[in-house]
Structures are given as C-alpha cells and as structure tokens.
Amino acid sequence: MTSKAASTFVYVTFIRTTPEQLWSALTSPEFTKQYWFGVHHETDWKAGSSWKLVFPDGRVADTGEIVEIDPPRHMVLRWRNEFRPELKAEGYSRCVIDVEAVGNAAKLTIMHSLDREDSKFIDAVSGGWPRILSNLKSLLETGEVALPS
C-alpha cells in the first residue's frame, strides 16, 4: 500500500500584541478587510459552523467549516478555494492557526496542508499567506498595512 505525501505550508511570525488582540484581528470581518486586501470572513466562529471568505465585490473566494476552535489560542479550518477551478478540484485543505503569548508578543503559526503531492492550492497559499500576515503584523504594530492593495 502506498501513501501519498501531503503538501504543507507553515508560516510563523511574532507580533507585538496580545493573543487576545491578535485573535480579534483574525476573526473580526471589519479588521480583516484592512489587512486581507478587502476580503472578509463570514461565520459565527463556532465548531461545526460553515465559513467563507468573500471578495469586496461579493464573490465567494473560499469556503469551508470551523473544525475546532479554542479562542484565543487555536483554530482549525476545513478550506477549499472556490474561484479557481484547478484549485477547487484539489478539494479541501486543512488550515491550523495557533496563537501563543511569548514575552510581550504573540506568536502566530499558520499551517496549511492538503493530502496531495505538489498541490497547486498550497503553492498558491504559500504566496498569499506571507503578504496577508505581513499586513496583519504591520497593521497591529504600526496602524498601517505594509502592502496596500
């Protein structure tokens, strides 16, 4: 029996903020729009609830489900791209978000994976997450995003 390898992207950053403030920034639709190029989440942030990312023009970017949630420390999302057919065809990925206090900062770890070798979706998020999270870090620390849309 052969097992297929998973494609995984991991991003770790330290942000001069509290875990609670970081969690709020990750889950507040209005705040998310500021660092995620106008995109926002629609969900009630409860385990088992549906979740989606919506473009500024109302189109759905990504959909999924809240698999696990333990504010302000841990969240697992089931995540599928909806607007690029070749990415949607790969199915659902798993996005694990962990937040922990480290001194006067919060450590944010994002691990996005898909049970498929050479995933085009994971390749796409490996370019997107650094831009989004750089904006988040800059916005929380300075009040301005690093990369305006």
Side-chain angles (χ1 to χ4, degrees):
M1 184 169 164
T2 314
S3 68
K4 58 185 174 183
S7 296
T8 303
F9 175 76
V10 179
Y11 192 92
V12 179
T13 188
F14 294 83
I15 303 172
R16 206 171 30 248
T17 190
T18 66
E20 294 76 16
Q21 288 169 323
L22 176 53
W23 190 266
S24 178
L26 290 167
T27 58
S28 159
E30 289 308 312
F31 198 83
T32 302
K33 286 178 188 178
Q34 295 177 62
Y35 66 85
W36 205 315
F37 309 104
V39 172
H40 70 278
H41 301 280
E42 289 183 7
T43 187
D44 64 5
W45 299 112
K46 294 184 167 115
S49 292
S50 64
W51 164 91
K52 64 182 169 180
L53 274 176
V54 181
F55 286 118
D57 65 7
R59 289 178 302 132
V60 175
D62 301 283
T63 61
E65 176 186 346
I66 309 291
V67 177
E68 299 171 24
I69 189 159
D70 180 20
R73 290 178 290 282
H74 178 75
M75 177 176 6
V76 178
L77 300 170
R78 189 168 177 253
W79 184 317
R80 182 179 71 193
N81 181 274
E82 296 295 333
F83 70 99
R84 289 180 53 191
E86 72 278 14
L87 301 184
K88 184 175 182 173
E90 291 188 356
Y92 285 95
S93 64
R94 177 179 175 90
C95 182
V96 179
I97 300 169
D98 287 308
V99 176
E100 65 181 280
V102 178
N104 67 346
K107 178 183 177 185
L108 173 63
T109 304
I110 305 271
M111 184 172 72
H112 214 137
S113 59
L114 200 137
D115 282 336
R116 170 188 213 97
E117 271 187 272
D118 301 318
S119 165
K120 291 180 177 119
F121 177 75
I122 297 303
D123 188 51
V125 300
S126 71
W129 274 125
R131 296 173 59 83
I132 292 160
L133 298 175
S134 292
N135 269 353
L136 171 62
K137 176 179 173 63
S138 182
L139 185 59
L140 284 169
E141 292 180 347
T142 72
E144 295 179 14
V145 295
L147 304 163
S149 48

